[in-house]
Amino acid sequence: MTAPGERVDNSPGDLPTGSLGVLPNNLSNNPPAKPPAKPPAKPANNPPTKPSGFRQFCVLFNRDIKQELRTRQMLSSMGIYALLVLVVFGAAFAHTGPVATSGVAAVLPAGTPASPPTSPGISLISISGGLMWAMIVFTSLLGLARSFKAEKEADGWEGVLLVPLDRSLIFLAKACANLVFLLVVEAVTIPLFYVFFLSGLELAASFWLVAGPLLVGSAGIAGVGTLLATLTSGTRGTDVLLAILFVPVIFPLLYTVVAATTAALVGSPDMALDYARPMVLAAAYDLIMLPVCWLLYDFIVST
Amino acid sequence: MCEEAVKDKKTTERDDKAVVEGAATALADRMLLPLLVAGALLASLGFVLAFTTAPLVVGAEADVPALIGGQMVTHKLLLSQKIFFFHVPVAVVSFIGLFVMALYGLRFLRQRDQIYDLKAMVAAEIALLFIVMTMLSGELWERFEWGVWWTWEPRLTTYLILMLLVIAYFILRAGIDDPERRAVFASAFGAIAFVDGLISLAVTRLIPAGAHPVVFRTDSGLPPAMLVPFILTLLGMLLVAFGLYRFRLRERRLHQQLDELKASYENQKGMH
């Protein structure tokens, strides 16, 4: 077909397979087309028996983790970026009045539903769930874009694609690695968020339930984000394009996890409606979108 | 029913992609202009009926009951509700457009025939056109009846997201040069966008956003006087959308053929 410039085209001219089946003969189809790929940080062993799917997954997953532990490029940039977002939030809410900015907010009796804004300032608790997710979304965007930039720069991706692996395993490993990075960054930034914005305010007793939306939301962001980052990694204007695709696609998930987070922080009288229902919907989003991404990944990577 | 027609056309077209267009396609192409005109006429007829035969919808209670035309009127009659007869058919058609886009995208992924990618793209264009019309007409209603330009009401939110998704689809296409890769990526994203649109619709409806009252009534049973113009407009809009789709598709294909001819001419010139 039309050879895209000098780019090394990995797939055999035809589509290798329509299904998600293992693609063992990808290599044998076009070995002379390219120089032997650089060893992708893993033993290029060729044992008579194929390693199990789980082992393949572990190798791929470890590869991402190891690479990150060596460079710490992604984690550090995500962490610093999240901190910067917090600073911007700080400026944005510096003039909203004493309730929002200082610890005086203890005047708010615990468990007060935050719907009626208290007169001197706005009630920060009721919007803090949204702010937290704004921070997570922006931070994850940065991390997702980076996760493929490194692959392209070091040509590691080519190596991975050359190995006769089940393509959907690549997705699974990459998404899991991104999820781990995201959770690590959250583990640092959300306490920071608490210190900066919520430490003076009285949270509802149910605040620990925030862990639910954080987990479900991060899983969805990592899964969908990995697919979209792969889609955009070879295009013009990668970073902007990723944001343009990512935000509308993630919107339903964002909507649900913000609802659940807010309910947990504010402490709703009807947790079944305000917390459980959004959580079920968020989980449903994950359960629908992640398999869809998983199925489509094969097509995208094979091109 | 438009779907059926599309599907028929599709199956007929697979065999004759290299050769000149098959008889069925040629016939369909000849019928296009009458089809488009018929659609426009049907939709217009629907509008006329909507304003003449369909009764005014009873709105909120009036501040002061008044005697109008010998009848005591206690509620406002909503002339603005006539937007419904444009707004809803257009919205339905836009969603069908998205569905067709996703369908052709998946078909492309299965069969790797560029024509399906082209069809998906054209369907997305039509969907975008109708989404914008939906949002504009909705905007008029909103400003007039709710008094605001924008509110994060479930359906508005869904349509905003749908619009962003389709725009993202085109931006993604514009960012990739290699036609094969572009087609695969766009098809994958089209499928995601459609699923995401459905989820968005469900989610925004199931989680009440803030204190905004749900103003929409879901009149499940429209009286016949309103149902007839509604159905007519819907049919008309479907025909218009289908006609536009075929016209655009033909235009794109002719464009491609022209490009190929140009390329081969250049090649020949180079050889001599």
Side-chain angles (χ1 to χ4, degrees):
Chain A
M1 299 288 287
T2 43
E6 60 287 312
R7 182 182 297 133
V8 190
D9 195 359
N10 240 343
S11 62
D14 240 318
L15 97 144
T17 172
S19 75
L20 281 173
V22 183
L23 316 169
N25 53 359
N26 193 19
L27 242 181
S28 60
N29 268 0
N30 59 347
K34 58 187 67 59
K38 297 169 186 80
K42 82 173 83 157
N45 53 350
N46 43 357
T49 55
K50 218 162 122 39
S52 71
F54 182 69
R55 271 215 45 192
Q56 297 180 0
F57 169 82
C58 286
V59 170
L60 283 170
F61 181 74
N62 283 339
R63 171 182 154 276
D64 271 344
I65 301 287
K66 234 183 256 169
Q67 191 191 16
E68 183 54 36
L69 285 182
R70 280 185 194 146
T71 61
R72 284 191 212 90
Q73 219 178 13
M74 207 164 122
L75 283 178
S76 56
S77 54
M78 277 169 90
I80 291 172
Y81 187 75
L83 189 65
L84 293 178
V85 173
L86 289 181
V87 171
V88 172
F89 285 167
F93 294 101
H95 304 286
T96 46
V99 170
T101 49
S102 74
V104 196
V107 287
L108 263 183
T112 314
S115 35
T118 40
S119 45
I122 56 166
S123 154
L124 196 56
I125 298 187
S126 62
I127 57 167
S128 57
L131 289 180
M132 213 160 81
W133 278 103
M135 178 185 78
I136 294 174
V137 165
F138 288 131
T139 312
S140 61
L141 257 178
L142 190 84
L144 288 167
R146 281 221 74 86
S147 80
F148 278 89
K149 204 171 274 174
E151 298 277 16
K152 294 272 162 175
E153 277 165 7
D155 279 341
W157 197 234
E158 303 269 312
V160 171
L161 294 185
L162 274 176
V163 180
L165 277 172
D166 188 344
R167 298 307 170 91
S168 44
L169 273 180
I170 302 180
F171 170 72
L172 216 57
K174 200 80 185 156
C176 285
N178 280 334
L179 175 62
V180 168
F181 298 147
L182 192 54
L183 287 178
V184 168
V185 171
E186 281 171 12
V188 177
T189 53
I190 287 175
L192 269 182
F193 184 85
Y194 174 81
V195 169
F196 280 153
F197 294 108
L198 298 176
S199 54
L201 307 175
E202 288 231 24
L203 295 179
S206 58
F207 77 94
W208 54 273
L209 285 175
V210 167
L214 277 180
L215 267 179
V216 175
S218 304
I221 285 179
V224 174
T226 301
L227 177 86
L228 295 181
T230 318
L231 267 186
T232 54
S233 64
T235 57
R236 278 190 298 263
T238 302
D239 294 347
V240 186
L241 191 53
L242 177 60
I244 291 172
L245 300 190
F246 180 70
V247 174
V249 172
I250 214 73
F251 178 84
L253 180 67
L254 193 62
Y255 200 87
T256 51
V257 290
V258 168
T261 309
T262 308
L265 288 178
V266 172
S268 146
D270 186 0
M271 282 306 252
L273 181 72
D274 290 340
Y275 180 79
R277 197 204 286 205
M279 277 308 290
V280 169
L281 285 170
Y285 176 93
D286 281 5
L287 286 181
I288 296 171
M289 285 305 265
L290 294 186
V292 168
C293 293
W294 190 58
L295 285 172
L296 289 172
Y297 205 73
D298 190 30
F299 292 111
I300 290 167
V301 164
S302 310
T303 307
Chain B
M1 37 219 101
C2 195
E3 296 293 313
E4 297 287 291
V6 173
K7 235 174 248 164
D8 278 337
K9 211 73 27 76
K10 233 165 33 184
T11 41
T12 54
E13 226 156 71
R14 195 183 328 153
D15 314 305
D16 61 344
K17 52 182 175 163
V19 207
V20 203
E21 321 217 82
T25 322
L27 181 71
D29 275 350
R30 234 180 306 129
M31 290 297 291
L32 263 189
L33 199 58
L35 213 65
L36 206 57
V37 172
L41 282 179
L42 264 183
S44 311
L45 181 66
F47 291 144
V48 171
L49 285 182
F51 277 95
T52 50
T53 64
L56 286 170
V57 165
V58 178
E61 206 169 331
D63 300 335
V64 186
L67 198 66
I68 299 175
Q71 269 188 325
M72 192 52 118
V73 176
T74 54
H75 287 71
K76 284 178 186 160
L77 296 176
L78 300 180
L79 189 63
S80 60
Q81 187 270 342
K82 301 294 181 201
I83 287 178
F84 165 87
F85 293 101
F86 178 82
H87 182 70
V88 179
V90 166
V92 170
V93 172
S94 72
F95 222 88
I96 292 177
L98 284 178
F99 180 66
V100 173
M101 171 190 81
L103 214 63
Y104 275 130
L106 290 181
R107 224 187 144 94
F108 170 81
L109 287 180
R110 270 217 312 270
Q111 303 184 356
R112 301 286 162 144
D113 187 345
Q114 286 284 343
I115 187 69
Y116 295 126
D117 177 54
L118 187 64
K119 287 182 173 182
M121 190 201 75
V122 173
E125 283 177 341
I126 303 297
L128 184 58
L129 177 71
F130 278 81
I131 286 175
V132 170
M133 288 205 281
T134 308
M135 292 201 63
L136 286 180
S137 56
E139 214 55 38
L140 293 177
W141 162 265
E142 228 161 89
R143 182 72 191 96
F144 198 75
E145 284 302 323
W146 301 351
V148 288
W149 284 112
W150 181 261
T151 160
W152 292 93
E153 198 265 345
R155 272 166 256 211
L156 297 187
T157 313
T158 309
Y159 260 83
L160 179 68
I161 295 301
L162 282 185
M163 190 171 77
L164 289 176
L165 284 170
V166 180
I167 291 174
Y169 174 86
F170 286 113
I171 297 179
L172 175 67
R173 292 191 73 97
I176 308 173
D177 289 328
D178 175 25
E180 174 77 12
R181 243 160 63 92
R182 178 172 61 214
V184 173
F185 285 15
S187 300
F189 184 72
I192 291 178
F194 180 69
V195 174
D196 195 67
L198 287 182
I199 298 178
S200 195
L201 190 68
V203 161
T204 45
R205 280 214 196 168
L206 289 175
I207 298 180
H212 187 81
V214 178
V215 186
F216 270 119
R217 281 168 302 243
T218 41
D219 290 335
S220 43
L222 283 175
M226 291 172 78
L227 193 62
V228 170
F230 174 70
I231 298 280
L232 284 180
T233 320
L234 182 60
L235 277 178
M237 284 296 173
L238 277 173
L239 284 180
V240 168
F242 181 67
L244 285 177
Y245 166 80
R246 294 296 309 188
F247 263 125
R248 177 72 174 156
L249 188 63
R250 196 167 65 175
E251 189 261 339
R252 290 315 312 170
R253 291 181 76 177
L254 287 175
H255 204 84
Q256 278 182 351
Q257 284 172 5
L258 182 65
D259 282 348
E260 281 163 20
L261 280 177
K262 268 185 192 162
S264 69
Y265 174 70
E266 291 293 324
N267 274 352
Q268 276 182 0
K269 223 168 52 172
M271 287 207 302
H272 287 152

